[in-house]
Amino acid sequence: ARYRSFARHGRAVERSSAALEHIKARRWEPRAIRQAEAVATLSEQDFEWVKAHGGTPLLCPNGVSHQEFRDSPSSGPVGLIGSFDYRPNREALRWYLDEVLPLMADAVPAARHMVVGRGAVGACPPVDGLAVHTDVESIDPFYASASIVVAPAVIGGGSQVKIAEAVAHGRCVVAAASTATSIPSHLRDNPLVILAEGPRGFAEAVARMVTDVDRRHALEREARRRPSLSWDESFAPLVAAIESSLR
């Protein structure tokens, strides 16, 4: 899915190489999964693909680490947290800063943003109200200080680990509607996960969550009451398969 997305939506200079990698993957991936005793998949979409190509899939979606939750700060910054030496994250950050941030400046002039993660400094142009933190020892304090987080996506595939991280930290996350099929089913209907489409839809959703503190806190508290899938539960099928193969 990643190379296919690059081939369709990437910059022109990179499309041909991505298309070639996609064609190569279509040839070797089915052979590889049929040779494997089992294949761990992170999404229902990948599970069905492996099954359709003759493999034995195990569904091991991103889990949630249980920790003590606290209400988000009333006026904390909006967080963009990830690894920005990964191209899809850089593209998503650029899209948010170019397309969404100007709309946010009109809707909520006082809103502050922070970009946190490896490669963040090189990925960010100077922007008023934007704090940049790179190569941090832990992302936990930044999640704790955020009012909400955002997970835009322009290209790429994958399991949307940023959404699972946000839920694990008890923060509302505004995510691209195009990633809905990649979000694990146990997170898709979580009250903290808010899907938005296009720059204006994204800006409106972020502005609503930033300004309506009572609503945001109500969603956070509702999410705490819901059972969540732990990492131990998520990877139980994989652990069982490995143990069985070692007998």
Side-chain angles (χ1 to χ4, degrees), residues 90-107:
R90 292 197 307 275
E91 295 282 349
L93 174 62
R94 183 179 300 125
W95 175 83
Y96 187 89
L97 296 180
D98 290 347
E99 304 290 338
V100 180
L101 201 58
L103 299 175
M104 280 292 297
D106 293 336

Side-chain angles (χ1 to χ4, degrees), residues 63-80:
V64 172
S65 301
H66 297 287
Q67 52 188 290
E68 182 180 353
F69 294 125
R70 295 183 179 178
D71 287 350
S72 58
S74 298
S75 58
V78 176
L80 295 99

Side-chain angles (χ1 to χ4, degrees), residues 63-67 69 167-168 186-187 190 223-231 233:
V64 172
S65 301
H66 297 287
Q67 52 188 290
F69 294 125
V167 172
H186 73 100
L187 294 175
N190 190 290
R224 289 174 210 162
R225 292 191 293 269
R226 292 196 179 192
S228 56
L229 184 73
S230 70
W231 284 105
E233 293 167 325

Side-chain angles (χ1 to χ4, degrees), residues 123-225:
C124 287
V127 177
D128 289 342
L130 178 68
V132 182
H133 309 272
T134 194
D135 297 326
V136 299
E137 291 186 6
S138 172
I139 58 176
D140 292 347
F142 297 97
Y143 272 109
S145 69
S147 57
I148 68 167
V149 297
V150 295
V154 179
I155 59 173
S159 60
Q160 303 305 317
V161 69
K162 293 187 292 298
I163 294 173
E165 279 186 352
V167 172
H169 287 84
R171 292 296 176 262
C172 290
V173 52
V174 178
S178 60
T179 65
T181 57
S182 299
I183 300 172
S185 58
H186 73 100
L187 294 175
R188 212 170 292 151
D189 64 348
N190 190 290
L192 295 175
V193 179
I194 300 147
L195 299 179
E197 189 75 55
R200 187 161 299 279
F202 227 88
E204 290 174 353
V206 173
R208 189 165 55 249
M209 287 296 100
V210 168
T211 57
D212 193 344
V213 179
D214 290 340
R215 174 61 176 159
R216 188 204 321 153
H217 287 171
L219 293 175
E220 293 167 0
R221 291 163 189 166
E222 181 184 348
R224 289 174 210 162
R225 292 191 293 269

